[in-house]
């Protein structure tokens, strides 16, 4: 991937995980994944991926209150390893995008040889491009930039804290910020330097 090429020449994979939540003495685990793929014109490159992920670990009350996922939703879900071929196909050869990407990087590190990237974290990018905003949560940024209707039209049955909806919201946010900052013609390296990620 040539980082001197304009960012408009690349494809993007936007990923989000919902998790079981922090539990003392037990590692957090993913229980839902959502991936959208887009080119710079906003067209889908591959079919969206939205799947629950099987786990034997309990979902914390706090996590379930946020995303609404219960253990019953996971009964027939595939294991994370079973989903990996579908996940890796969508990530390969593309810029990976996430909002507050630490969770996504952590869960993908279960497959340490994947070598995907580079990454753009829309949380960091929004802080650098728009330093005077009052909030940088994904939901608040979507409201600030008035992107709710666009998402509702595309995903009418979903909402925030659904992994697919959040991945689509992250793309809407990234696309909007790049347009506002007139970055589509800039080299990929410039955008990575702004966001402070690689």
């Amino acid at each position: 991937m040539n980082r001197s090429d304009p960012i408009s020449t690349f494809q993007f994979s936007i990923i989000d995980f919902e998790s079981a939540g922090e539990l003392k003495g037990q590692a957090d685990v993913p229980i839902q994944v959502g991936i959208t793929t887009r080119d710079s014109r906003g067209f889908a490159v591959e079919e969206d991926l939205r799947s629950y992920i099987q786990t034997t670990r309990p979902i914390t009350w706090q996590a379930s209150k946020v995303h609404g996922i219960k253990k019953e939703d996971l009964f027939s879900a595939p294991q994370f390893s079973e989903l990996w071929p579908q996940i890796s196909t969508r990530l390969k050869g593309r810029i990976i995008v996430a909002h507050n990407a630490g969770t996504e990087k952590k869960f993908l590190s279960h497959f340490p040889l994947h070598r995907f990237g580079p990454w753009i974290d829309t949380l960091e990018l929004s802080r650098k491009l728009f330093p005077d905003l009052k909030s940088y949560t994904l939901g608040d940024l979507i409201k600030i930039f008035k992107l709710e209707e666009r998402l509702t039209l595309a995903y009418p049955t979903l909402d925030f804290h659904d992994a697919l909806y959040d991945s689509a919201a992250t793309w809407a946010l990234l696309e909007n910020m790049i347009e506002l900052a007139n970055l589509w013609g800039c080299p990929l390296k410039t955008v990575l330097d702004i966001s402070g990620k690689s």
Side-chain angles (χ1 to χ4, degrees), residues 23-38:
L23 198 60
K24 188 175 180 179
Q26 297 189 48
D28 197 5
V29 295
I31 58 173
Q32 190 187 40
V33 62
I35 302 177
T36 56
T37 56
R38 296 289 186 270

Side-chain angles (χ1 to χ4, degrees), residues 90-140:
R90 286 166 173 79
L91 301 184
K92 195 176 298 181
R94 299 189 175 113
I95 299 169
I96 314 302
V97 185
H99 192 76
N100 196 10
T103 298
E104 284 64 42
K105 288 185 173 183
K106 176 178 69 176
F107 291 147
L108 290 178
S109 71
H110 290 291
F111 303 91
L113 299 179
H114 64 71
R115 297 181 184 175
F116 297 134
W119 286 74
I120 294 176
D121 187 332
T122 51
L123 173 61
E124 297 300 327
L125 189 64
S126 62
R127 285 172 171 166
K128 295 286 179 59
L129 292 176
F130 305 96
D132 298 322
L133 299 180
K134 293 183 179 180
S135 172
Y136 294 90
T137 67
L138 181 59
D140 285 344

Side-chain angles (χ1 to χ4, degrees), residues 147-158:
L147 301 169
E148 307 101 314
E149 184 177 354
R150 167 181 168 178
L151 288 164
T152 300
L153 288 171
Y155 299 91
T157 63
L158 304 179

Side-chain angles (χ1 to χ4, degrees), residues 15-80:
I15 186 168
D16 183 79
F17 285 106
E18 299 299 323
S19 81
E22 299 289 342
L23 198 60
K24 188 175 180 179
Q26 297 189 48
D28 197 5
V29 295
I31 58 173
Q32 190 187 40
V33 62
I35 302 177
T36 56
T37 56
R38 296 289 186 270
D39 64 18
S40 62
R41 299 167 298 169
F43 293 125
V45 182
E46 297 195 42
E47 184 179 359
D48 288 344
L49 174 64
R50 177 181 185 263
S51 179
Y52 292 120
I53 302 170
Q54 180 66 249
T55 182
T56 57
R57 220 217 72 178
I59 303 171
T60 67
W61 177 85
Q62 295 92 335
S64 186
K65 185 177 180 182
V66 170
H67 50 53
I69 301 172
K70 300 176 175 60
K71 63 180 182 180
E72 294 82 11
D73 297 318
L74 311 182
F75 284 161
S76 60
Q79 299 283 339
F80 195 15

